Amino acid sequence: MTVLPLVFTSGWASGINAYAVVLLLGVFGATGLSDDVPAALQRPDVLIVAGVLFLCEAVADKIPYVDSVWDSVHTVIRPVAGAVVGALLAGQSGSLSDLAAGAVGGSTALASHLVKAGTRMAVNTSPEPFSNIVLSTAEDLGVAGLVTFAMFNPQAAAVIAAVLLAAGLALVIYLWTRIRRFLRRRAQRREEKRLAAESRRVTGTPPY
């Protein structure tokens, strides 16, 4: 069970920024800083793809409403990434079955992803870019710091990840009123766009 803390922490981090987790683990393994990283994550093509996607997320994650669209697209991607990374880590050490590790990594990634997506919905109820930039930067630094810490002290890192996950879930529950308001506004904007498009189609008015 010695790999379980690292699997849990990587799952939490994958729910926030899966590409950063893959990139960091791959770099740690490729540079020899850690022997716990499976070879599949150290491949140059994996590192290049993870790096490009990380840069894309770094931009999208700081733009109001775009970040929520990005989160929606990654509702499946992040949990799957957490499950795959967890299974690979377990397979590397042989101390935990791949299936169990995948379940731990995937479920933890899903929970932290829901926290991130819910928090962003609440932040986007006041769509100024400053709060999005600050929150995104804090998330990136948190992922980088905790994954790095987990490579050298996985038990303590897992405890921190568990506390952050519990606090995040409590925060999302507290902010649920703002989240529902955001969802209503988004549904209203979509309806307005649909009605406007339908009106232009009926009247033959150009779309401008």
Side-chain angles (χ1 to χ4, degrees):
M1 299 293 289
T2 55
V3 74
L4 183 57
L6 181 58
V7 170
F8 181 85
T9 302
S10 65
W12 171 84
S14 294
I16 297 175
N17 194 325
Y19 307 124
V21 173
V22 173
L23 183 61
L24 282 170
L25 291 178
V27 168
F28 285 136
T31 56
L33 292 175
S34 174
D35 297 327
D36 297 326
V37 180
L41 297 179
Q42 303 179 36
R43 290 169 41 184
D45 56 334
V46 172
L47 292 176
I48 291 172
V49 171
V52 171
L53 291 174
F54 169 73
L55 292 177
C56 292
E57 177 152 336
V59 174
D61 211 34
K62 295 174 175 60
I63 304 174
Y65 297 110
V66 174
D67 57 352
S68 289
V69 174
W70 185 268
D71 286 338
S72 298
V73 173
H74 285 74
T75 300
V76 175
I77 296 175
R78 287 170 183 159
V80 169
V84 170
V85 170
L88 288 173
L89 290 171
Q92 178 76 359
S93 70
S95 61
L96 187 67
S97 73
D98 293 356
L99 182 60
V104 171
S107 59
T108 306
L110 177 60
S112 62
H113 164 74
L114 294 176
V115 169
K116 173 175 179 168
T119 303
R120 288 310 181 88
M121 287 182 183
V123 169
N124 283 332
T125 58
S126 55
E128 35 76 30
F130 179 74
S131 56
N132 296 74
I133 294 173
V134 171
L135 187 57
S136 176
T137 302
E139 289 171 350
D140 292 342
L141 293 175
V143 166
L146 199 55
V147 170
T148 301
F149 184 50
M151 300 307 299
F152 305 100
N153 198 332
Q155 290 80 12
V159 171
I160 296 173
V163 171
L164 291 174
L165 181 59
L169 290 171
L171 179 62
V172 169
I173 293 173
Y174 175 75
L175 295 174
W176 180 241
T177 300
R178 297 186 67 177
I179 294 172
R180 286 190 299 175
R181 188 185 311 145
F182 169 80
L183 293 175
R184 284 197 301 267
R185 287 179 179 176
R186 187 169 65 175
Q188 183 180 0
R189 284 195 301 272
R190 288 178 177 175
E191 182 65 15
E192 290 173 351
K193 289 181 180 179
R194 187 188 67 80
L195 292 175
E198 185 174 321
S199 175
R200 288 194 297 266
R201 180 177 60 81
V202 173
T203 61
T205 305
Y208 53 82

